[in-house]
């Protein structure tokens, strides 16, 4: 950027303060890049492949944000932060190593980071609005993409909740169906015993209440034993 242009900006806003804000945002972008990059490597659980792909896409977009910021810092005759250790000092949106690798935990971690980034670029846009149109446009562009990132992550969280609810509902229905089948089988078997008793009675040509005691007890014991066992299944 021409020195004269920087002088013009200096008459409208604090350029040094702006460079400091941009370097802080630059540091946050590199931390966000790594957070997405490493998350894509370790993510597991629900919708793993889809979440992994989303993290990889977001990581690349965060890298492009870092490039835009670094270029603008140089145009303002500043120096992009050179020491990666400074990223942790300058960044307000901190990077915390993931404690859980399941997709839901990683998604929530990145949602928090995106919300912090949204505030950062709103502040830069407000600081430069009507004064530094170039930086303001860059901030608004990145802001729009950070808002889109947050929405993408929230959509995945919503989809996972719905998927788990559907899975539980299906499992319940499957268990109910299985129970009904067992009950039908029990009723069918019990009915078969009744038919067998009736057939036996006819075969010996005597009413049921006149079946010889030993035979009558054996039939009843079979039926009672089955029903008792069926109830315990």
């Amino acid at each position: 950027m021409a020195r004269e242009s920087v002088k013009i900006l200096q008459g409208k806003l604090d350029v040094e303060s702006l460079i400091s804000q941009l370097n802080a945002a630059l540091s946050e972008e590199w931390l966000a890049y790594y957070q997405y990059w490493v998350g894509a490597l370790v993510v597991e659980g629900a919708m793993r492949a889809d979440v992994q792909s989303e993290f990889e896409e977001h990581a690349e977009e965060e890298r492009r944000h870092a490039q835009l910021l670094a270029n603008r810092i140089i145009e303002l005759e500043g120096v992009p932060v050179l020491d990666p250790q400074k990223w942790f000092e300058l960044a307000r949106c901190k990077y915390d190593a993931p404690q859980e690798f399941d997709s839901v935990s990683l998604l929530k971690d990145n949602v928090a980071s995106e919300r912090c980034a949204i505030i950062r670029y709103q502040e830069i846009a407000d600081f430069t609005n009507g004064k530094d149109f170039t930086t303001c446009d860059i901030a608004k562009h990145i802001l729009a993409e950070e808002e889109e990132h947050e929405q993408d992550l929230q959509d995945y969280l919503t989809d996972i909740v719905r998927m788990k609810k559907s899975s539980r509902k299906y499992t319940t229905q499957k268990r109910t169906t299985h129970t009904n089948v067992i009950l039908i089988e029990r009723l069918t078997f019990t009915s078969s015993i009744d038919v067998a008793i009736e057939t036996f009675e006819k075969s010996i040509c005597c009413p049921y209440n006149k079946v010889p005691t030993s035979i009558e007890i054996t039939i009843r014991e079979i039926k009672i034993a089955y029903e008792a066992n069926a109830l315990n299944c």
Side-chain angles (χ1 to χ4, degrees):
M1 188 174 187
R3 288 183 179 273
E4 190 61 32
S5 298
V6 174
K7 287 181 181 180
I8 292 174
L9 284 180
Q10 288 174 340
K12 297 179 180 180
L13 52 72
D14 185 342
V15 175
E16 291 302 317
S17 175
L18 175 57
I19 291 173
S20 295
Q21 292 180 56
L22 294 176
N23 261 322
L26 176 61
S27 300
E28 290 163 356
E29 289 295 349
W30 281 121
L31 294 177
Y33 166 81
Y34 186 79
Q35 184 167 329
Y36 277 123
W37 178 82
V38 77
L41 292 177
V42 301
V43 64
E44 56 190 29
M47 301 181 72
R48 184 195 67 81
D50 291 332
V51 173
Q52 182 182 52
S53 177
E54 192 71 24
F55 282 179
E56 291 172 345
E57 180 181 335
H58 285 196
E60 177 56 26
E61 289 177 351
E62 304 296 3
R63 189 199 64 76
R64 290 200 295 266
H65 295 168
Q67 185 71 59
L68 287 172
L69 293 169
N71 289 344
R72 186 54 182 165
I73 290 169
I74 291 173
E75 289 173 353
L76 292 170
E77 298 187 339
V79 179
V81 57
L82 300 176
D83 185 354
Q85 292 182 351
K86 289 285 187 180
W87 296 346
F88 296 92
E89 297 177 19
L90 298 175
R92 183 174 62 198
C93 305
K94 302 298 183 181
Y95 166 72
D96 294 319
Q99 302 301 309
E100 303 290 341
F101 295 164
D102 64 283
S103 57
V104 172
S105 295
L106 292 176
L107 284 165
K108 288 181 177 179
D109 288 345
N110 282 288
V111 166
S113 297
E114 291 295 352
R115 287 175 177 170
C116 183
I118 287 169
I119 294 173
R120 167 68 72 189
Y121 290 108
Q122 285 175 337
E123 290 175 352
I124 294 176
D126 290 340
F127 186 77
T128 56
N129 187 38
K131 302 171 184 177
D132 178 356
F133 298 103
T134 302
T135 304
C136 189
D137 286 345
I138 291 172
K140 288 180 178 179
H141 168 74
I142 297 176
L143 172 62
E145 291 197 342
E146 302 293 14
E147 289 174 338
E148 184 180 343
H149 287 178
E150 185 198 7
Q151 187 60 56
D152 291 340
L153 303 179
Q154 289 287 7
D155 288 344
Y156 273 108
L157 287 170
T158 300
D159 290 344
I160 289 173
V161 169
R162 289 175 178 170
M163 181 181 68
K164 289 182 176 179
K165 285 183 178 179
S166 298
S167 178
R168 285 196 292 268
K169 184 177 179 181
Y170 172 76
T171 301
T172 301
Q173 290 175 339
K174 187 175 180 181
R175 287 175 179 170
T176 302
T177 302
H178 180 65
T179 301
N180 290 339
V181 169
I182 291 174
L183 289 173
I184 291 171
E185 290 175 347
R186 290 174 181 170
L187 291 171
T188 301
F189 189 83
T190 302
S191 178
S192 298
I193 292 177
D194 292 334
V195 172
I197 291 173
E198 183 180 353
T199 302
F200 176 78
E201 290 171 357
K202 291 179 180 179
S203 68
I204 62 174
C205 299
C206 64
Y208 183 64
N209 58 8
K210 292 182 180 181
V211 173
T213 302
S214 61
I215 298 176
E216 180 181 346
I217 292 174
T218 300
I219 293 173
R220 287 177 178 173
E221 286 179 344
I222 291 172
K223 187 172 181 180
I224 291 171
Y226 170 77
E227 291 175 345
N229 182 65
L231 289 173
N232 291 327
C233 288

